[in-house]
């Protein structure tokens, strides 16, 4: 298994980090559609034993994203390297261009990407995480 830093350039030029709180940050894609036109490559670091991580990757792929996934024992070193606050950590961390995206933080709401269960959907927020670590609600999903 390759280390998560193999062949990956981790330089972050824009210091706007995107993290999901009480939900999956994939929903963010609806708000930054321009990222799709520039690049649809998503690098994902996931814990090997987590089913929601696998389902989240399937969701990304079903929505036209190319995913390069790396199983890691813990996503904390990746988050630390990408400057995502540890308090916003989850079982999967992703990067698309200059954006860092965190998975289900701290819960796993039903209906969020990777947690689909029919038509039932819990309300959740997607947070924008600023360089200072301060967060604010980016989008709310009902």
């Amino acid at each position: 298994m390759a280390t998560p830093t193999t062949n990956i350039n981790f330089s972050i030029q824009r210091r706007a980090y995107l993290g999901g709180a009480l939900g999956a940050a994939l929903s963010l894609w609806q708000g930054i559609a321009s990222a799709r036109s520039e690049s649809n490559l998503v690098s994902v670091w996931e814990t090997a034993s987590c089913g929601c991580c696998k389902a989240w990757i399937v969701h990304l792929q079903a929505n036209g994203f190319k995913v390069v996934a790396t199983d890691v024992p813990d996503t904390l070193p990746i988050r630390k390297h990408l400057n995502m606050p540890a308090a916003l950590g989850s079982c999967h961390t992703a990067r698309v261009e200059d954006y860092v995206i965190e998975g289900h933080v701290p819960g796993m709401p039903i209906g969020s990407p990777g947690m689909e269960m029919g038509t039932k959907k819990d309300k959740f927020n997607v947070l924008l995480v600023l360089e200072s670590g301060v967060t604010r609600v980016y989008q709310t999903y009902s």
Side-chain angles (χ1 to χ4, degrees):
M1 173 174 30
T3 61
T5 57
T6 304
N7 298 322
I8 306 255
N9 177 357
F10 284 109
S11 64
I12 303 290
Q13 296 171 7
R14 279 183 266 164
R15 295 296 180 175
Y17 303 110
L18 299 170
L22 302 176
L26 175 63
S27 300
L28 165 70
W29 295 123
Q30 296 171 3
I32 57 169
S34 64
R36 275 193 186 188
S37 64
E38 294 174 30
S39 172
N40 69 347
L41 176 63
V42 181
S43 298
V44 177
W45 295 270
E46 60 171 323
T47 53
S49 62
C50 182
C52 79
C53 296
K54 308 278 187 262
W56 191 63
I57 290 169
V58 168
H59 184 92
L60 284 168
Q61 292 168 329
N63 284 279
F65 293 95
K66 180 180 176 187
V67 177
V68 176
T70 304
D71 286 344
V72 294
D74 184 1
T75 58
L76 179 62
I78 299 300
R79 287 192 311 277
K80 185 176 180 180
H81 191 78
L82 296 173
N83 297 317
M84 175 61 74
L88 299 176
S90 74
C91 51
H92 52 273
T93 300
R95 179 167 177 219
V96 60
E97 295 185 7
D98 292 339
Y99 292 93
V100 177
I101 301 170
E102 200 56 39
H104 302 102
V105 180
M108 301 174 89
I110 295 171
S112 63
M115 292 299 298
E116 294 90 351
M117 294 185 182
T119 59
K120 181 170 174 22
K121 294 186 179 200
D122 293 337
K123 180 180 177 180
F124 64 93
N125 293 326
V126 173
L127 296 182
L128 173 65
V129 184
L130 303 176
E131 184 177 8
S132 65
V134 172
T135 62
R136 63 178 164 225
V137 173
Y138 177 81
Q139 182 81 35
T140 299
Y141 293 88
S142 298

